């Protein structure tokens, strides 16, 4: 029987790249996101290529909606082999003392609490079956804060700690846990962070060839595909001219 991957935030960027990559790998897909139209468009596209796709439209910040969505999954879709906790975002680049409280709450609720909710809903069945893989999309922003990154960096540091904690908690099982830490990836990430200011978003990638969502998807798929006795705990992925979160060489 084909394996099943559940991917959150599947309608753009890394999540969309993961959906296509796992489809190519023969997986059945459960795709979640907030935009029903985009979800259905992606489902239609992948279905035409022979992939079985189930879509669940909800916001991971809404615990009740998440619970209802997962409970609605048909029995034949319930043995989820891979959970990709991808849904996440950054908002603003303001100094901490001038930050927007509502934006902070959105980042924490999505990046941390949403990831925890999905983990709590999916992982118990993996533990019971003694099989599965949780892949969390973190960030090098979780390794060290940068100017204006404050709360976003804190949420990605939390993703690392939560990932490490889960790996410890289920070490007695065959369930694997991985933290993927991308550097500069050109998706809609910066457009969202700068509240639709496309010029400012484009400037983030000025003078450097950044990673793409597909680049990260390749790595996500790889770590899910290694032999069952191999657990890749953490992967840092950088563009060639990026050394860390603060050091980027840009061509003029």
């Amino acid at each position: 029987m084909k394996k099943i991957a559940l991917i959150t935030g599947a309608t753009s960027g890394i999540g969309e790249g993961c959906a296509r990559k796992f489809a190519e790998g023969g997986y059945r897909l459960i795709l979640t996101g907030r935009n029903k139209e985009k979800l259905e468009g992606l489902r239609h596209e992948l279905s035409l290529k022979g992939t079985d796709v189930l879509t669940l439209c909800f916001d991971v910040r809404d615990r009740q909606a998440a619970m209802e969505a997962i409970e609605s999954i048909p029995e034949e879709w319930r043995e989820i082999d891979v959970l990709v906790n991808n849904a996440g975002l950054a908002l603003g680049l303001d100094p901490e003392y001038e930050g927007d409280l509502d934006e902070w709450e959105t980042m924490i609720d999505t990046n941390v609490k949403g990831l925890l909710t999905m983990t709590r809903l999916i992982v118990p069945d993996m533990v019971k079956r003694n099989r599965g893989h949780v892949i969390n999309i973190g960030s090098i922003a979780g390794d060290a804060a940068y100017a204006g990154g404050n709360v976003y960096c804190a949420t990605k540091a939390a993703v690392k700690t939560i990932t490490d904690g889960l790996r410890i908690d289920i070490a007695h099982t065959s369930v694997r846990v991985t933290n993927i830490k991308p550097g500069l990836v050109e998706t809609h990430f910066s457009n969202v962070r700068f509240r639709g200011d496309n010029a400012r978003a484009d400037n983030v990638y000025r003078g450097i060839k950044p990673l793409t969502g597909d680049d990260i998807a390749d790595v996500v798929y790889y770590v899910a595909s290694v032999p069952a006795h191999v657990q890749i705990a953490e992967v840092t992925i950088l563009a060639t001219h990026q050394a860390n979160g603060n050091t980027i060489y840009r061509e003029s």
Side-chain angles (χ1 to χ4, degrees):
M1 181 178 291
K2 290 184 177 180
K3 291 184 177 181
I4 298 173
L6 190 159
I7 303 166
T8 67
T11 57
S12 66
I14 294 171
E16 185 176 356
C18 286
R20 292 199 170 93
K21 189 67 180 181
F22 278 84
E24 290 172 4
Y27 277 72
R28 300 164 70 201
L29 301 178
I30 303 174
L31 305 180
T32 87
R34 295 178 297 167
N35 189 314
K36 186 174 181 62
E37 183 178 350
K38 286 185 177 181
L39 270 179
E40 289 308 308
L42 185 57
R43 183 195 64 77
H44 180 69
E45 174 195 330
L46 296 177
S47 295
L48 289 176
K49 297 177 181 178
T51 300
D52 293 329
V53 182
L54 176 68
T55 58
L56 301 173
C57 187
F58 67 94
D59 189 331
V60 295
R61 294 180 296 167
D62 186 334
R63 184 194 304 173
Q64 186 61 36
M67 292 173 65
E68 291 173 0
I70 299 305
E71 288 172 1
S72 75
I73 295 175
E75 188 65 33
E76 63 270 22
W77 285 87
R78 288 192 171 272
E79 292 194 9
I80 295 165
D81 298 279
V82 180
L83 168 63
V84 181
N85 276 317
N86 166 73
L89 77 168
L91 293 170
L93 201 62
D94 305 310
E96 190 170 327
Y97 62 90
E98 295 178 346
D100 185 300
L101 292 168
D102 289 334
E103 291 184 340
W104 290 356
E105 186 171 25
T106 297
M107 285 187 281
I108 293 168
D109 285 353
T110 305
N111 301 356
V112 181
K113 293 166 68 177
L115 180 147
L116 282 169
T117 295
M118 294 303 298
T119 300
R120 181 64 181 85
L121 292 172
I122 302 301
V123 173
D125 281 344
M126 290 183 172
V127 172
K128 287 179 184 176
R129 297 194 311 270
N130 197 35
R131 174 173 54 85
H133 197 160
V134 180
I135 302 176
N136 293 331
I137 305 300
S139 171
I140 60 167
D143 291 341
Y146 54 77
N150 43 76
V151 174
Y152 173 70
C153 293
T155 66
K156 290 304 184 178
V159 170
K160 173 179 171 51
T161 305
I162 289 165
T163 307
D164 291 345
L166 178 62
R167 192 181 306 110
I168 293 166
D169 289 341
I170 60 177
H172 63 289
T173 77
S174 296
V175 180
R176 301 180 293 182
V177 187
T178 302
N179 184 24
I180 303 289
K181 303 192 304 183
L184 203 60
V185 184
E186 187 169 12
T187 63
H188 292 299
F189 177 88
S190 290
N191 302 77
V192 172
R193 160 167 265 174
F194 297 125
R195 310 172 186 99
D197 186 337
N198 293 331
R200 192 176 180 192
D202 290 344
N203 194 54
V204 172
Y205 312 109
R206 174 187 52 79
I208 184 172
K209 184 174 183 178
L211 302 167
T212 67
D214 290 341
D215 293 329
I216 308 306
D218 285 343
V219 177
V220 172
Y221 186 78
Y222 172 77
V223 302
S225 303
V226 295
H229 71 285
V230 178
Q231 177 175 221
I232 299 177
E234 189 169 281
V235 183
T236 301
I237 313 160
L238 302 173
T240 299
H241 293 299
Q242 180 176 19
N244 55 39
N246 295 298
T247 306
I248 299 172
Y249 171 75
R250 300 180 187 273
E251 296 180 352
S252 57

